[in-house]
Amino acid sequence: GSLVAAVLAHSGRLDKEHLGARVGRLSRRVPLCCCPQGEVCTMINKKYSEFLPSMQSAEELVAQVEGLSNNIDLLKAGIENEVQRDLTVAVAEFTELKQQLERDTLVLSVLKKLQEFDTTLKECSSALQEKQYVAAAQQLEKARSSLRSLESRRGFELKILKALGTELTVQTQNMIYHLGEEWQKLIVWKLPPSKGSSSLEAVVLSELHLHTVPPQDQDTAVPPVAAVLQALAVLGELHSKLKDFGHLLLQYILKPLISHPSLEPVPEEQPDVFILRFRSQELALDESSPMEVFEKIKLVFEVLHKYLLSVPLEQPGEGRVTLAELLGELIWEELSDCLIHNCLVNSIPTNSSKLEQYKEVIESTEEFEKALKKMQVLKEDTTALLKYACNVDSHFANKKCQDVIMAARSLMTSEIHNTVKISPDSSISLPELPDPGAGDQVKMHRACSLLQDGTVTLGAESRLSPFTLCLPPCRISCSVQQLVELAYHTLLEATASTDLCCVQLFDCVRNIFQLFYEVVPTYHRENLQKLPQLAAIHHNNCMYISHHLLTLGHQFRYRSTSVLSNGAATFVDLVPAFRRLGMECFLAQMRVQKGEILERLSSARNFSNMDDEENYCAANKAIKQVLHQLRRLGMVWQDVLPVNVYCKAMGALLNTALAEIVTRIAALEDISAEDADRLYSLCRVMVEEGPQVFTPLLEEDKNKKYQEEVPVYVQKWMTFKELMIILQANLQEIVDQWADGKGPLAEEFSAAEVKSLIRALFQNTERRAAALAKIK
């Protein structure tokens, strides 16, 4: 109760009046009927007397609280008016002091770096004077690190930094200069006057002096090679020195040893220097074997490793390495390329029978790589040379294909007019075919052979004629014959090779013929257009190639590996293209010759008015020019074209001339008797001299057969002879030759053409009208 009173009094909500009122309310809530009136009053007094002290203590407590609250208000006002102001001033002072501390700390660190920079430069100079190059280089690197640290501070730039950088550069260059001099004392090149030349004479005059031999006495001005190399490594200059050294090593030692078989290294060790000289053997092969080259290069690396390359170095960022590793990274790629292209390539066999001997080269290459890896010139995973050497089958095929293509191209661009006579007896030897019952079980057969009588064995009982599948006698280019022989030899080489090599060589042979198809018509285009003989030879060349392409793949089917024995090795698809190539060239020449014949006959003035001497002379000249052209062509194509092709070609040209003459004479509207006689004499010249142009063979007596068969090759021959009959016949003879459309005249001329000739030859009479009536 006292606690409640105190709280209420403290809150200002309780006083005596309020307390009396509350007591009155309390008394009213107590029912008076439950107790007597005296007892109620007594209880109230008792409670009031007990509550009054509590209230007084509460009032005292309220007074204390009010005093405390006033003190708090005073303290709060003091803090806001005085302490807060002093605190703000203190914070500002603290911030300023902190910034000042930071500036002082920065200045102190800069001063320490400047002191460190100055100290390192002094120590570097001192170490350099004592030729302690590694220590001097390390001090320079410390100075460079201090300068970088100073330059990296933004907002704190000192003019002195530029001067310090200049000083550092001067000291560095001075250090590099001293190290360069020491390097030149350690490694001395004595080169010929013509620097840059790698000829045999220049290399023989070259020497390499290594002053890295441990000195016998201690009184020497040359520092240990390790110190110089390590100092160069610290300064980052070792790479450029090694690059220059590797360049000279390649140019004057390693590459010449590969390129010049007669060159030999001559090492010489003296008390304080090692000298590498060279000498040239007088008797030497044109090409060195890979084994010899590997031994020479291995000797060079062994002496270099002993006196120079075995030095261990601490390379920044790479840890501990040897000089051999660094040099190997710089020169190995170029050296391996040189070994491959100037040594291993030349050692690749050109014949599959020598592939077995190449194992020695593979073993030597493997030993060479192992030796260089042992000397740490090569890394363990470096196998470029060995991979190339082991891939000999592919390289053999590539080299063989390249040689074959180069040889084929040389043949294609040679002269066409150098010819050779082809006859049934001059066929290329064919491989002996397998027994028909052997089927695909046959894998290999013995080498190419032709039976003594020229026949090819098919079985135990049957033989083919030696002239089966033979071209008729003709002339082809020597180069084309050699080209086909090259294809046969290449395919024969393929049958004895591995599957991969076999496929490559087969594709190479196809490429030969495809190359011929593209190159020859383009390279010899002008001559093929102008010279009839070359066009005929080219025609024969194409037919000769297509003739062999028909069976070329089948001949080697049962001799090859399983890759080509499945029937895919064929050249038959190329046959139509080659036949078309030969025919198009020859037909183009035929068109040119026909054009010249028609052009000459165009000067005959249409064979009209032959009673005029000028017209007759012009026509006679045209006839003689045509015959001369045909005789010239006959001589050019004689013994070149096959007889049947020759006769067809000459027959077609003579037929062109006869057809043109018949057309022009049949078109005449008026032919006098004198004109008819002169036209007949001109035609007789063609009939008498025309067959004489058929001279396909060199032997004159053998040409008569073909001259007698002119009507077989000249379609208009009988038409021309019938025209001659008409020019000399009378009306009745013409009617008899017609024979109601069943005579020889009717077979060559139409009724309209015969009537036109009758009207031109005869005057308009009843007899002519009667004759015309019978022509129908």
Side-chain angles (χ1 to χ4, degrees), residues 63-76:
Q64 291 176 3
V65 169
E66 288 178 353
L68 182 60
S69 177
N70 292 333
N71 291 335
I72 290 173
D73 291 339
L74 292 174
L75 180 60
K76 182 179 179 181

Side-chain angles (χ1 to χ4, degrees), residues 92-343:
E93 290 179 354
F94 175 76
T95 303
E96 183 179 355
L97 290 173
K98 182 181 178 182
Q99 292 176 352
Q100 182 65 35
L101 179 61
E102 289 177 352
R103 285 196 298 270
D104 293 343
T105 303
L106 180 59
V107 171
L108 182 60
S109 65
V110 169
L111 291 175
K112 286 183 178 180
K113 288 293 181 183
L114 291 175
Q115 182 186 11
E116 182 181 342
F117 181 86
D118 183 66
T119 302
T120 52
L121 284 186
K122 290 179 179 178
E123 291 179 357
C124 174
S125 299
S126 176
L128 185 61
Q129 289 178 359
E130 297 176 1
K131 294 190 176 181
Q132 296 178 0
Y133 294 111
V134 177
Q138 291 173 347
Q139 293 301 324
L140 272 179
E141 285 304 304
K142 288 182 181 179
R144 184 173 288 106
S145 176
S146 300
L147 185 60
R148 288 199 201 99
S149 177
L150 291 172
E151 292 174 343
S152 66
R153 299 179 184 275
R154 295 183 178 180
F156 195 87
E157 298 177 357
L158 295 175
K159 295 182 180 180
I160 195 175
L161 294 183
K162 186 175 182 181
L164 295 179
T166 304
E167 179 64 20
L168 179 62
T169 302
V170 170
Q171 292 292 338
T172 303
Q173 294 302 318
N174 183 38
M175 178 77 173
I176 293 174
Y177 172 76
H178 281 83
L179 290 175
E181 285 189 334
E182 298 298 344
W183 174 268
Q184 291 178 359
K185 292 177 183 179
L186 292 170
I187 301 173
V188 180
W189 288 93
K190 293 189 176 180
L191 302 177
S194 56
K195 243 186 175 181
S197 173
S198 58
S199 62
L200 182 61
E201 295 78 8
V203 175
V204 171
L205 297 176
S206 304
E207 292 183 5
L208 173 60
H209 292 221
L210 296 178
H211 294 270
T212 56
V213 179
Q216 296 179 355
D217 54 349
Q218 298 299 323
D219 186 14
T220 175
V222 179
V225 61
V228 176
L229 294 176
Q230 184 62 60
L232 288 170
V234 172
L235 294 178
E237 293 294 320
L238 183 60
H239 183 274
S240 62
K241 295 294 183 184
L242 278 183
K243 188 176 182 180
D244 294 338
F245 176 77
H247 175 72
L248 294 175
L249 186 67
L250 284 170
Q251 183 175 359
Y252 289 99
I253 296 180
L254 299 179
K255 286 185 176 180
L257 288 175
I258 300 171
S259 305
H260 304 296
S262 62
L263 197 63
E264 280 191 353
V266 182
E268 178 184 348
E269 184 175 351
Q270 296 182 4
D272 59 345
V273 65
F274 171 81
I275 302 174
L276 184 61
R277 295 190 178 95
F278 301 91
R279 68 184 175 192
S280 178
Q281 295 178 342
E282 295 182 0
L283 299 176
L285 300 175
D286 294 335
E287 292 181 359
S288 295
S289 67
M291 290 72 77
E292 295 174 350
V293 173
F294 291 158
E295 287 299 323
K296 294 176 184 178
I297 295 179
K298 189 161 64 172
L299 173 62
V300 172
F301 275 111
E302 284 175 352
V303 297
L304 287 177
H305 187 268
K306 180 178 179 182
Y307 298 108
L308 178 65
L309 301 182
S310 59
V311 176
L313 300 172
E314 289 292 336
Q315 189 74 354
E318 298 182 12
R320 194 174 184 83
V321 296
T322 62
L323 194 63
E325 294 178 65
L326 300 177
L327 182 63
E329 291 179 359
L330 292 173
I331 69 171
W332 176 245
E333 183 177 356
E334 188 174 352
L335 178 60
S336 60
D337 287 343
C338 185
L339 284 169
I340 289 173
H341 295 103
N342 296 329
C343 181

